[in-house]
Amino acid sequence: MESRRRFLQTAGALLGALLMPAGSRGAERLERRIPKTGEALPAVGLGTWQVFDVAGDAKELAEAKETLRVFVDSGGRVVDSSPMYGSSEQVTGQLAAELSVRPKLFVATKVWTSGKQPGIRQMEDSMRRLRVERLDLMQVHNLVDVQTHLTTLRDWKAAGRIRYLGITHYHSGAHAELGKLVSKGDIDFLQVNYSLVEPEAGRRLLGAAAGAGTAVIVNRPFAEGAMFRRVKGRALPDWAKEAGCASWAQFFLKWILAEPAVTCVIPGTRNPRHVADNLGTLSGPLPDAALRRRMAEHFDSL
Ligand SMILES: NC(=O)c1ccc[n+]([C@@H]2O[C@H](COP(=O)([O-])OP(=O)(O)OC[C@H]3O[C@@H](n4cnc5c(N)ncnc54)[C@H](OP(=O)(O)O)[C@@H]3O)[C@@H](O)[C@H]2O)c1
């Protein structure tokens, strides 16, 4: 009886998820559902590369703490780290504990080494530094020794040590391999670069992810900040208000989120004003296809 009840609950949750539009708005904030489970996530998260690698500097640590506080207060949940990011995992774990926000976060990190046992050791160290017993999402960073780690991650998921498994890369040269792995069907999350200056994933990869029921996290949404240099000193066009954009950051993020295959975008910042700006993208309208094309044409003309 119990297993039948569980089956019906799971089937009901999945049916509900399928019936929801790919992108939908809660009362206040834009959320997207993880295709494999129907779990909803706020569509803007926080990247920690470089910006949270601040363990040795009290001033920068305080900035990171205020950024995480504003992030959670503004409805953010997804935080992405990696053992490659210096002290970022340790700082994220420490600040989440100090702010008592750990239960609100959806914590993602990565494995970035070769070999089964080194991978296991690294993932256990990451979980200790992040102060989690069960990780929301573990991703194979830049496809390093991907088959070895996916085998471990499947076992860890079955044992309940992680909730979701994923793969990441930051460069279009890896999109073909990412697409092949995603098409096999058991990848919960794909993390990949996608932006107005790096739009390649939109050609095939995001469609492959949608077809395979794989959630998509977008990294490098501002091409590491380079996009702000292109618009420096330029006002937003008036028509950008139709898409609910109050800043260039929101213009860039809304262009990304108008693609329904995208589950969450993770801009990196240690600036509380910037994180509030980025989370502001969760409210207001998204551009339709025509407006999205206009946004791309305008940005290309600058
Ligand atoms: N292979 C991988 O798995 C991989 C590769 C790359 C990135 N990632 C993940 O993706 C995250 C994001 O990528 P990224 O950090 O490389 O680049 P990004 O998010 O495209 O750009 C970060 C830069 O944008 C600036 N910024 C952020 N919000 C802003 C705002 N509202 N207004 C003005 N400037 C703003 C930041 O400066 P301030 O600090 O001054 O705000 C920072 O210099 C990383 O942190 C990491 O978690 C993963």
Side-chain angles (χ1 to χ4, degrees):
M1 276 312 279
E2 177 62 11
S3 60
R4 183 178 149 76
R5 195 173 58 81
R6 281 223 195 100
F7 169 79
L8 288 174
Q9 274 175 349
T10 310
L14 286 174
L15 187 65
L18 289 173
L19 292 177
M20 288 273 297
S24 82
R25 280 172 183 283
E28 294 164 15
R29 294 190 297 264
L30 177 63
E31 292 189 331
R32 290 273 160 83
R33 291 189 182 269
I34 300 170
K36 295 245 190 289
T37 59
E39 179 182 354
L41 289 177
V44 179
L46 177 65
T48 63
W49 180 50
Q50 296 179 311
V51 286
F52 271 47
D53 180 13
V54 294
D57 187 310
K59 178 175 165 285
E60 292 181 339
L61 194 61
E63 289 166 4
K65 185 170 180 177
E66 181 60 5
T67 299
L68 187 62
R69 190 191 67 72
V70 173
F71 174 70
V72 175
D73 268 10
S74 312
R77 288 190 59 213
V78 178
V79 178
D80 176 73
S81 195
S82 169
M84 189 216 243
Y85 301 167
S87 63
S88 292
E89 288 181 325
Q90 178 205 322
V91 164
T92 302
Q94 176 192 330
L95 297 182
E98 286 176 12
L99 292 164
S100 304
V101 296
R102 168 64 195 99
K104 294 186 177 169
L105 298 180
F106 181 98
V107 180
T109 194
K110 313 191 184 86
V111 54
W112 181 65
T113 186
S114 291
K116 188 172 179 71
Q117 286 311 321
I120 288 173
R121 273 198 299 278
Q122 189 180 67
M123 291 192 287
E124 287 175 339
D125 285 346
S126 289
M127 288 166 80
R128 253 193 305 280
R129 284 192 291 263
L130 286 161
R131 306 189 193 193
V132 298
E133 284 179 5
R134 187 173 189 230
L135 193 78
D136 293 302
L137 169 61
M138 183 65 87
Q139 308 154 103
V140 183
H141 199 152
N142 288 352
L143 299 176
V144 175
D145 204 1
V146 64
Q147 294 300 350
T148 302
H149 299 315
L150 281 178
T151 303
T152 308
L153 291 181
R154 288 181 189 114
D155 292 346
W156 277 32
K157 190 177 155 188
R161 296 183 80 177
I162 58 170
R163 298 177 60 225
Y164 298 101
L165 60 83
I167 52 178
T168 81
H169 214 285
Y170 67 98
H171 193 270
S172 60
H175 288 186
E177 194 181 348
L178 292 171
K180 273 191 213 146
L181 287 163
V182 156
S183 300
K184 293 195 175 136
D186 77 337
I187 304 294
D188 300 320
F189 276 83
L190 164 71
Q191 185 187 135
V192 71
N193 57 313
Y194 183 54
S195 69
L196 276 163
V197 295
E198 295 175 357
E200 296 86 350
R203 290 191 198 127
R204 294 172 86 128
L205 186 56
L206 297 183
T214 297
V216 175
I217 292 180
V218 167
N219 63 36
R220 296 176 51 82
F222 306 138
E224 242 176 83
M227 290 163 70
F228 293 108
R229 291 194 279 284
R230 193 181 309 177
V231 298
K232 198 165 187 275
R234 293 178 189 272
L236 273 175
D238 276 349
W239 49 261
K241 291 193 196 90
E242 285 172 43
C245 302
S247 66
W248 280 110
Q250 293 182 13
F251 184 100
F252 301 149
L253 294 175
K254 287 201 179 217
W255 182 87
I256 292 169
L257 288 169
E259 161 56 66
V262 173
T263 311
C264 182
V265 54
I266 49 165
T269 185
R270 194 181 62 243
N271 180 324
R273 276 184 300 109
H274 287 173
V275 87
D277 182 13
N278 297 341
L279 271 286
T281 310
L282 294 177
S283 53
L286 284 178
D288 62 14
L291 192 51
R292 194 170 187 250
R293 266 195 307 279
R294 191 173 185 190
M295 292 166 93
E297 283 161 13
H298 182 73
F299 185 71
D300 283 348
S301 75
L302 299 176

